[in-house]
Each structure stands twice: as C-alpha cells, then as structure tokens.
Amino acid sequence: TLTFPQGYFQALPILLQCSLDGTITPAEQTPAQSDYAWDVDPSLTAANAPDTITLEAADDVQGYEAEFCMFKGVTLAGEVAQDGGASPVSIEAPYFARQWTESTVTAGLALPTGLEVMNASLARLYKDTTWANAGTTELASTLRGFSLELMSGNHPKKFGDANKYFSTYGEGKIAAMLDLTLEGNANANAIWDDYRAGTKRTLRLTITGSQIGTGVNHLFRCDLYGLFTEVVTFNGEANGNNLTRALFVARRDKETSGNVIDVQVITNTNAP
C-alpha cells in the first residue's frame, strides 16, 4: 500500500488513472493557467483499461523495482480539527505488481515542489434526491470527518505458465463506500430517516484548495449514488456535542441515470 499521511492534489491523477479509469484526458479549464481537470467516469459495462506504472524503492545500498503495478483502489480520509490546527487528508492506495527485482535507481529525479496539500477543514458534503441534482443541497455545519474508499476491482490473475508472477489482470466490480462522522443535528436526523426507509440518495464530497494562477481552484469532487447501510446516532461526543456515524454504500442508479460513481480532480499537472 502506498500511504500519503498528508495527501496532495497532484498525487491523485496517477492513482486514479492506474485504478478506476486509464482513459482520462486532462482538459485545461482556463487558457494558459495550467488548471487541468481530470474527469474519472469509469464504465460499468466495458473495460476501463487502467494504466500501469513501475515502482522504485531504494536506500543508499540497493535499489529495487516492481513492474506492471496498478492500484486496487484509493482511500481518502480526514478529520476536521476542532482546535483550528492542521486537518490533513490521508491517501492510501493498495497495489499489486509482478515482482521486486534488483535495479539501478532512475537518475536525475527531483523532489516535487509546489505541492497543494489537501485540507479536511475545506471538505463539504451535499445530499440530493437525484443524480442530476448532485451538489445542489449542502449539509452545512454537519461534516466532522470522512473516509472515502474507491474500489477498482483490479486483481492479478495467475495461470500455469513459464513465469512465477501473475499472467494478467482482471477488472472486477467497481464499488465505493463513504464513512461519515456527523454533528448530531437535523441533517444527521434526516440521514437516519433515509437509512430507516432505505431511501436512495446522491452524495457529493468536495475538497477545495487554492487558486491555480488566475484560473480555478485545486479540487477533488466525488459523486456517489446509493444508500445508507448503517447509521448510529449518539455514536460519540466531542466537547459535549453528540456525533452520528453514517455509512453510505454506492449502488447503481438503475431508475434514471445509470451512474454509481463520478470523480473529478482539478490540479496543475497534465501528466500522471
């Protein structure tokens, strides 16, 4: 698993392109401002052809590499700090690759600069009745924390052949879960009602960053259609405030749009 304790927007395109959708073409939003939108809309009926990468790991003694690496999914998680301190968004991406072999580390690599870190205190949550209205109704003064797990279904497939490593890969079910920590208020009570009734909803989670040049802001946006499969009121308390935990599981919108998940990342890179 690749782990980013402090996630940043520029890391997301390669993780998503090597997991959910390998056919993404970034599009600049504002001429000459390098504010590129990566729209991730994985197909539910055809192969998504995820890209692969080669991972390198080394110290001052030896280098190694693992080829044909792709990610099983991506998890973003964050808690809104109540003391005004840092609220990092962590990123985890479990992967598989063919094999680790001794190698010479690629020369001339430079540490990344100008990274735009993700801040959980700038996360916003929306809940709407239809996919077409995603992002219309914000649940203000409600979101305390989140863990969003996007699962690509990618998996290695091994057959009897001349190699010890896997022969190819398969694409399984694309799925997503959003685990929420909420303020125990009217919005949380309405989610409890949705859970009890089994009512399907569209959720949108956004995390914004600073402006890119004179263009648009860094952005992570995820839309999910599905239903709440578990809601626990009085799940905890913080400074005398009751908290609710709600687990939302994506399900395909068979009634109208046919969608289940849509992700967009806007950042200042057009190469994964």
Side-chain angles (χ1 to χ4, degrees), residues 180-215:
L180 298 166
T181 301
L182 308 171
E183 180 86 358
N185 57 17
N187 288 328
N189 291 339
I191 286 175
W192 161 257
D193 293 337
D194 291 338
Y195 161 65
R196 294 263 297 186
T199 305
K200 294 179 180 178
R201 299 295 188 196
T202 298
L203 295 191
R204 170 172 289 184
L205 177 70
T206 68
I207 306 171
T208 55
S210 63
Q211 188 177 21
I212 304 171
T214 60

Side-chain angles (χ1 to χ4, degrees), residues 18-60:
C18 294
S19 59
L20 287 174
D21 187 357
T23 64
I24 312 167
T25 301
E28 192 172 32
Q29 302 301 286
T30 309
Q33 294 306 306
S34 298
D35 51 351
Y36 295 99
W38 298 73
D39 290 318
V40 184
D41 184 16
S43 174
L44 303 178
T45 59
N48 290 286
D51 284 343
T52 63
I53 59 173
T54 297
L55 285 181
E56 292 187 355
D59 57 15
D60 58 349

Side-chain angles (χ1 to χ4, degrees), residues 155-179:
H155 56 276
K157 297 173 71 174
K158 178 70 176 80
F159 305 106
D161 55 28
N163 302 308
K164 294 182 180 178
Y165 51 76
F166 61 84
S167 307
T168 184
Y169 74 94
E171 293 184 48
K173 182 180 179 180
I174 292 175
M177 295 191 301
L178 180 57
D179 200 346

Side-chain angles (χ1 to χ4, degrees), residues 105-262:
V105 177
T106 302
L109 295 178
L111 292 174
T113 59
L115 298 180
E116 180 74 13
V117 299
M118 305 177 78
N119 186 344
S121 67
L122 297 177
R124 302 170 74 173
L125 180 66
Y126 302 79
K127 179 171 73 89
D128 291 286
T129 56
T130 65
W131 183 266
N133 290 330
T136 301
T137 308
E138 182 175 7
L139 303 185
S141 304
T142 300
L143 183 63
R144 290 282 200 127
F146 62 89
S147 177
L148 171 65
E149 184 177 4
L150 306 173
M151 293 161 278
S152 68
N154 297 331
H155 56 276
K157 297 173 71 174
K158 178 70 176 80
F159 305 106
D161 55 28
N163 302 308
K164 294 182 180 178
Y165 51 76
F166 61 84
S167 307
T168 184
Y169 74 94
E171 293 184 48
K173 182 180 179 180
I174 292 175
M177 295 191 301
L178 180 57
D179 200 346
L180 298 166
T181 301
L182 308 171
E183 180 86 358
N185 57 17
N187 288 328
N189 291 339
I191 286 175
W192 161 257
D193 293 337
D194 291 338
Y195 161 65
R196 294 263 297 186
T199 305
K200 294 179 180 178
R201 299 295 188 196
T202 298
L203 295 191
R204 170 172 289 184
L205 177 70
T206 68
I207 306 171
T208 55
S210 63
Q211 188 177 21
I212 304 171
T214 60
V216 299
N217 289 33
H218 290 273
L219 173 70
F220 171 81
R221 188 205 73 208
C222 180
D223 293 343
L224 300 175
Y225 184 84
L227 71 166
F228 292 96
T229 61
E230 183 179 17
V231 176
V232 182
T233 58
F234 306 114
N235 189 59
E237 66 87 25
N239 299 320
N241 301 292
N242 291 320
L243 302 178
T244 294
R245 175 180 176 264
L247 179 62
F248 186 85
V249 176
R251 294 284 188 271
R252 188 175 185 182
D253 180 9
K254 296 181 179 180
E255 291 81 7
T256 56
S257 68
N259 291 289
V260 63
I261 175 174
D262 183 75

